[in-house]
């Protein structure tokens, strides 16, 4: 299941993925570097859907690159 807390590949952040209606969203709940504490609580994933056995749609914001990308 996608729900829960996930450590990013680089180990710098922990993201909590949660249900938001019939979609999923994610926010930063922990950062390794003290200077990045301002990122805690930032929504980094929105509108991800689970349909026909797979995840689709959604947007993901990448704080270090300061842009969004599609989750699909």
């Amino acid at each position: 299941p996608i729900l829960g807390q996930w450590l990013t590949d680089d180990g710098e952040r922990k993201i909590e993925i949660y249900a938001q209606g019939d979609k999923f969203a994610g926010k930063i709940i922990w950062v390794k570097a003290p200077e990045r504490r301002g990122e805690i609580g930032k929504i980094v994933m929105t509108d991800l859907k689970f349909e026909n056995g797979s995840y689709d749609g959604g947007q993901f914001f990448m704080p270090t690159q300061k842009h969004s990308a599609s989750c699909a």
Side-chain angles (χ1 to χ4, degrees):
I2 193 171
L3 296 175
Q5 298 179 1
W6 299 84
L7 190 62
T8 57
D9 286 342
D10 62 8
E12 294 291 321
R13 295 169 187 81
K14 191 178 284 186
I15 309 296
E16 180 177 27
I17 298 179
Y18 54 93
Q20 192 171 47
D22 62 344
K23 298 176 184 176
F24 298 94
K27 65 181 175 182
I28 297 172
I29 60 168
W30 174 85
V31 292
K32 185 175 184 178
E35 64 271 15
R36 295 191 184 267
R37 285 197 181 128
E39 294 179 7
I40 295 174
K42 181 179 263 292
I43 304 296
V44 293
M45 187 182 79
T46 59
D47 298 325
L48 185 66
K49 300 178 203 171
F50 185 74
E51 296 179 325
N52 302 318
S54 65
Y55 293 97
D56 191 28
Q59 290 289 312
F60 191 83
F61 176 73
M62 295 172 265
T64 55
Q65 297 159 346
K66 297 186 178 32
H67 70 84
S68 296
S70 173
C71 293

